Amino acid sequence: MLAKLHDISVNFGEVRALDNVSLDISPNQIHAIVGENGAGKSTLMSVLFGLNVNYSGQIFIDEINKNWSTPSDAIKAGIGMVHQHFMLIESMTVLENIILGSEPNKYLGFLDFQFAKKKLYDLLRTYNFSINLNQTVGELSVGQRQMVEILKTLYRSAALIILDEPTAVLTPAERADLFNSLQDFKNAGKSIILITHKIDEVMANADHVSVMRSGQLISSLPINSTSRGQISDEIVGASKTKSISRKKIKPGPVKLHLSDLDVLGMPQIGNAFNLEVKANEIVGIAGVAGNGQAELVEAIIGLRSSKSGLIEICGTNVTEVDISTRRDAGLCYIPEDRQKRGLALDAQLSENASISLLASKAFAKGPFLRKTKIKNFTEDLIKKFDVKASSSSALANSLSGGNKQKLIIARELSLESDVIIAENPTWGVDLGAINQIHYELLSMRENGHAILLVSSDLDEILTLSDRVLVMFESELSHSFRTEKVTREELGELMLMKASEKKKRKRQISHEAI
Amino acid sequence: MTALSLFLILLLLLNLADANFFEASQAFLKSAFGGRKYAYLYVTISRCALITGMAIAALIAFRAGLINIGGEGQLVIGGFIAAFISIYSGVTGVAGITLAILSAMIGGGLWAVLAGLMKLKLGVPILVGTLLLNYPARYITSYFVSHPLRDVSSGMPQTHLLDKSLWLPFVEGTRLDIGFMFILIVYAFVLVYSYRTVPGYHAKMTGLSIEFAATSGINIFNTTLKTLAFSGAIAGLVGAIAVLGIHHRFTDGMLVQPLYAWTGIVAALLINLVPWAILPAGFFFASLTSGASGMERTADVPKEIAIIIQGIIILFVAARATSIASGSKKKEEGS
């Protein structure tokens, strides 16, 4: 399918979200669209998919001018979209989810499951998918759910498939599987649009890459006439990156100490945790999500209790005390889930910024809030961390993802706590912000703070950490000095599980067929 | 636009009820704000005090994410305790009034805290706990005023009349008791509490995102219980005002039938839990009720018309709120 977007513009109130964007999507291609959060990628796709109908400009599908009024028009024309957040009903089976909305009917309106099954088995065979159609979606892994979403578009005979940040939630092995499938689709004559942040994926898999920035299309080139450097420059625009380098510092005294910590409710049965983080040191915990990192972090913060063992912050035993006492002892926390744990989205920036410091009485006089002080403090944070916000009284929800994360990091780092727990601090954040966040964490390290970095991004771990541990099936490996370990060695420790899981998955699908 | 369509619907309804618009609206205004020596206005103000009080009680809890719909139970407990203490403690005068009000507030507060403990210790949702506690409150008090504490000579399920020295005095030169002043004080207090104090801020954050509040070190256990106690205490105070200022005794069902608690909840939701707007909202609902009964008396328009109008207004406001919300949601998707 040849899709042409011509002079598309979209306004949200006074903000110009898309500014005369023209783009051609050719068949037999993986077309990557890259750009920072808020660059307009998703808006453009929502126009193409019929989710947003308030645009000016034209859409041509195979040279015919189309006007969608709902996504179902776009689906009928052969466009399929896999959203970043899956739209599946967990309690229904794979088959039921796939046919939902385009059910094959027999006489009297009965469902023709056999017809659907036959069509799906053909698709499974053609593209080498292994999935049990009768399993409920709730039992599937994230990667398998994504496969269901893709199958859904194929079942509706999509010739153009839009994938919005498809790899954000996948393990490395699942990621490889996905890209293999995408190559197969491409060879079968389909067009693929891949929206992503990750330049590595683009370089390795795409045929064509378009870069968007602030609502405009900056470039659209075949992959072999551009380069990594050029793409990242185009994404960020004027160079605003600070240089990232980890200076050699001798670590100071132990600030965070876990001994024989046995955390309640770990996902697998593992050993108790032993860990030390010293001042002037960043210790990284690498691992595929779901191996117990989240639970360990919760235990350290105080959101989860422990069966036995000891947590010490700056020499104080905090195993039994509540969160605010732990924070007082010198702990701060940059949570992975910034929408729920990091911010109250419907509260003002100043309310979000001052929450952690209220306990220290800096912003209160008796029971009363010191509003001016809070406002000044928030404005300082916004300025210092370059958070793009209209004012300190704007709602947190009005910020883009990267700016939300900057605000959280600004708040937590301003506490000057001895121990900093950073959990996937740059997840889903754009390049410019990643750079800045890394820079800030490294300068905290130089200023004598002890940082525990939990991340599923191996590059991030290797850039920032002095020592690395791998979390696998609720067990921590011993720690490696970053200079003395290779990516491959760490990758192997992390992926053991993924490969085992794949074996198991294959067995299941064999039994099913 | 909204106002115009509302007006058209009102005209249509009046037409259906076979009433003259001007006559009906005149009757409405007179019985809401007029009367001989403004007697009706005083009734409206005193009703406004009760509704606003219950609206504030709901608002405080809702803002903290605690869906306390048990205002009715807390109100009834408060009113009953006020009557019980007034009659049987033997303390009279200002001391007696103070004692009655404080005990009513403690009673209402504890009744709400009970639901909080059920939530925190047993996992019963606040919504369910508070709602179900309405029934024991109602029937326990009903039992007491029907049997052991009944004023048999009155022939009704109600307590004896309170000692005259315990009646809330009228504002000079009017027939309006000073109960509404208590509510004005509470209103001022709640404004300061919501916008300017640390506990109010903690409660708001807990309401907006409990996970965020907990992660940031706010003690959810304390915040929940304190907020519920505060909310219940205000409901208790409203009960005491109704007993000491208006009825001067506790009659079975007298705080339940006029739907003070439920109207309060509707008022709080209608203004989207914005604290300063709670007083106008309370006044609006009080005028609507007063005006409607007047319309029925003089213009022969069924009072149900006013109830329908009330419902339509709520629908309009709710629809507008939703469209605003979905509008901002669309904006987000654009990022």
Side-chain angles (χ1 to χ4, degrees), chain A residues 43 340 342 351 358 367 369 371, chain B residues 195-196 198 201 204 209 334:
Chain A
T43 311
K340 267 210 240 135
E351 292 172 315
L358 269 180
L369 299 168
K371 288 252 176 177
Chain B
Y195 292 123
R196 301 231 147 240
V198 177
Y201 167 74
K204 182 183 172 192
S209 171

Side-chain angles (χ1 to χ4, degrees), chain B residues 216-262:
Chain B
S216 307
I218 291 178
N219 188 326
I220 303 294
F221 191 92
N222 284 352
T223 305
T224 302
L225 291 188
K226 273 189 207 158
T227 311
L228 280 174
F230 188 12
S231 167
I234 293 174
L237 169 69
V238 174
I241 292 174
V243 167
L244 301 174
I246 302 171
H247 301 279
H248 306 131
R249 61 174 10 141
F250 184 92
T251 309
D252 187 24
M254 75 176 195
L255 297 171
V256 177
Q257 250 102 58
L259 297 178
Y260 294 128
W262 298 103

Side-chain angles (χ1 to χ4, degrees), chain A residues 301 326-327 330-334 411-422 444:
Chain A
I301 303 306
R326 289 181 198 213
R327 280 180 171 273
L331 178 77
C332 73
Y333 172 42
I334 300 163
R411 175 187 72 213
E412 294 297 322
L413 297 189
S414 74
L415 297 169
E416 294 284 337
S417 313
D418 286 320
V419 179
I420 300 167
I421 313 283
M444 291 310 273

Side-chain angles (χ1 to χ4, degrees), chain A residues 390-410:
Chain A
S390 51
S391 77
S392 63
S393 58
L395 295 188
N397 218 354
S398 66
L399 301 184
S400 75
N403 285 309
K404 280 179 190 149
Q405 186 69 354
K406 280 198 221 169
L407 179 70
I408 297 172
I409 289 177

Side-chain angles (χ1 to χ4, degrees), chain B residues 178-199:
Chain B
I178 61 165
F180 76 96
M181 290 185 180
F182 289 98
I183 298 301
L184 282 181
I185 294 169
V186 169
Y187 176 63
F189 185 80
V190 164
L191 289 189
V192 175
Y193 164 84
S194 305
Y195 292 123
R196 301 231 147 240
T197 69
V198 177

